[in-house]
Amino acid sequence: MDLNILWFILITVLFVGFFILEGFDYGVGILLPFLGKNDTERRVIINTIGPVWDGNEVWLLTAGGAIFAAFPHWYATLFSGFYMALFLLLLGLIVRAVAFEYRSKDENPRWRMVWDWAIFFGSAVPALLWGVAIANMVYGVKIDAEMNYVGTFFDLLNPYALLGGLASFTLFTLHGAVYLDLKTTDALRERAMKMTLRVGPVATVIVVAFIIATYFFTDAIEHLGVDPGFVPMASLLSLFGAAYFVNTKRLGWGFVMTSLNIGLSVITIFMLLFPRVLVSNLNPEWSLTIYNASSSPKTLTIMSFVALIFLPIVLGYQAWSYWVFRHRVSIKSELTY
């Protein structure tokens, strides 16, 4: 295995971690105005992710930094071509972060309602746009021979990409609902369970439709074949597994299944891409790959040693933080937000 492949795998792992952790984070934010019937209940909902939401976003920063250092041409084309979409995504994340911090600064109900809806939009917009962006990476965008994106923002809003956005939006909402099933008590837990049962079938239908569309509108047949292999099949089966465990009230396993579904779906997307990182629909030969978009071997070597030292430390710290804040949050708990 050369270093180009190694860093492609490491970036895949970073996105897997980001979408699993930030996925339930987005889902909780999306469900906040609908499950919380009063200020106290909404504070309980926010406190389920209060200790971890900012740590979850570090995975995105790390993945972006890894792309910038390991595959600078990928970074340059992606951020220039998807500029408006990424701007809206980052704007949503900024609004969301500000809302978490400012919500509790005033007890006025209107003040808090405004920030609650800011959390909703700051979660919903990235949840949708991430699916649109990832779908476009596989579907193909207008990249010329000089690795420049020559399309427009509206070219990114094609039907396949929008279906991918709906898939990510509903999956993250389902993931967040199952997480709230595990982290809340009493009436909130009951509402979260009802929401899980409502969102689950919708997410399943949209995801299956997205899988079918992937075989019709991308080169999935060429890369995965009619028999896609263990990872894509396990991704789909884990979604049905989540439905089974939720309906049998085994919510811990239900959360494991939704996490597996998201993680394996990300791996499947990167399997479809490999060895490409951005597909050109103008000419397949103009696609960016892990070789024509990469840094020098020396840069990749230095980065590998740095990752070998610090990645285990970061993973260990985050695992410890989740263990510390593993308990349910109730109305009787000390509320911060």
Side-chain angles (χ1 to χ4, degrees):
M1 181 187 300
D2 58 34
L3 291 177
N4 301 69
I5 297 175
L6 174 63
W7 274 97
F8 182 82
I9 293 173
L10 287 176
I11 289 171
T12 304
V13 170
L14 289 171
F15 274 109
V16 167
F18 171 69
F19 283 122
I20 290 175
L21 297 177
E22 194 74 341
F24 71 74
D25 212 325
Y26 289 150
V28 170
I30 291 169
L31 294 172
L32 173 65
F34 307 104
L35 294 185
K37 300 303 182 183
N38 54 55
D39 179 65
T40 301
E41 290 185 346
R42 288 191 288 272
R43 290 174 68 194
V44 169
I45 291 172
I46 296 173
N47 272 269
T48 62
I49 58 173
V52 297
W53 69 267
D54 46 357
N56 293 343
E57 292 186 353
V58 171
W59 287 78
L60 173 61
L61 297 175
T62 306
I67 293 174
F68 174 77
F71 303 106
H73 294 294
W74 179 14
Y75 183 93
T77 305
L78 181 68
F79 276 77
S80 60
F82 292 32
Y83 181 83
M84 183 57 68
L86 291 172
F87 172 79
L88 293 173
L89 188 151
L90 292 175
L91 181 63
L93 294 178
I94 292 170
V95 168
R96 183 169 174 266
V98 171
F100 281 136
E101 299 299 331
Y102 275 69
R103 183 188 187 278
S104 61
K105 303 302 182 184
D106 194 320
E107 295 184 0
N108 188 311
R110 291 186 178 179
W111 170 272
R112 294 194 171 187
M113 182 181 295
V114 168
W115 292 116
D116 287 341
W117 282 104
I119 292 172
F120 167 78
F121 286 108
S123 302
V125 171
L128 180 70
L129 289 180
W130 272 118
V132 172
I134 294 296
N136 271 303
M137 289 170 61
V138 176
Y139 178 73
V141 291
K142 294 181 178 180
I143 300 175
D144 64 15
E146 303 299 323
M147 299 185 183
N148 295 317
Y149 178 74
V150 293
T152 67
F153 170 72
F154 295 101
D155 290 327
L156 303 177
L157 302 180
N158 55 79
Y160 175 75
L162 292 175
L163 183 59
L166 289 176
S168 64
F169 181 89
T170 53
L171 272 179
F172 291 160
T173 304
L174 174 63
H175 197 37
V178 177
Y179 178 79
L180 287 174
D181 289 337
L182 291 172
K183 293 291 290 183
T184 56
T185 61
D186 305 322
L188 265 179
R189 186 182 180 188
E190 292 177 7
R191 276 184 233 130
M193 172 61 76
K194 290 179 181 178
M195 183 63 71
T196 302
L197 296 175
R198 291 174 185 171
V199 175
V202 177
T204 303
V205 170
I206 293 176
V207 169
V208 171
F210 180 66
I211 292 171
I212 295 172
T214 299
Y215 271 89
F216 277 100
F217 296 105
T218 71
D219 55 3
I221 290 289
E222 178 183 339
H223 275 75
L224 298 180
V226 178
D227 178 11
F230 171 77
V231 173
M233 291 301 298
S235 173
L236 181 60
L237 291 174
S238 62
L239 189 58
F240 291 105
Y244 169 77
F245 286 118
V246 168
N247 280 282
T248 56
K249 305 296 178 64
R250 298 160 71 180
L251 299 175
W253 281 108
F255 186 74
V256 170
M257 289 295 108
T258 55
S259 298
L260 278 175
N261 173 255
I262 293 172
L264 294 174
S265 296
V266 175
I267 294 174
T268 299
I269 292 295
F270 277 84
M271 287 171 59
L272 275 170
L273 282 172
F274 184 82
R276 304 163 300 177
V277 290
L278 270 179
V279 177
S280 171
N281 56 20
L282 297 179
N283 186 335
E285 294 183 359
W286 295 344
S287 298
L288 275 67
T289 71
I290 60 174
Y291 296 105
N292 66 12
S294 73
S295 295
S296 66
K298 183 177 181 180
T299 299
L300 295 178
T301 301
I302 295 172
M303 288 174 58
S304 299
F305 282 110
V306 173
L308 184 64
I309 295 171
F310 289 102
L311 187 58
I313 297 174
V314 173
L315 292 176
Y317 172 78
Q318 189 147 37
W320 173 79
S321 66
Y322 272 92
W323 175 256
V324 170
F325 296 105
R326 67 189 182 278
H327 303 292
R328 291 182 182 273
V329 182
S330 68
I331 293 175
K332 297 179 181 178
S333 303
E334 182 180 349
L335 302 179
T336 304
Y337 291 92

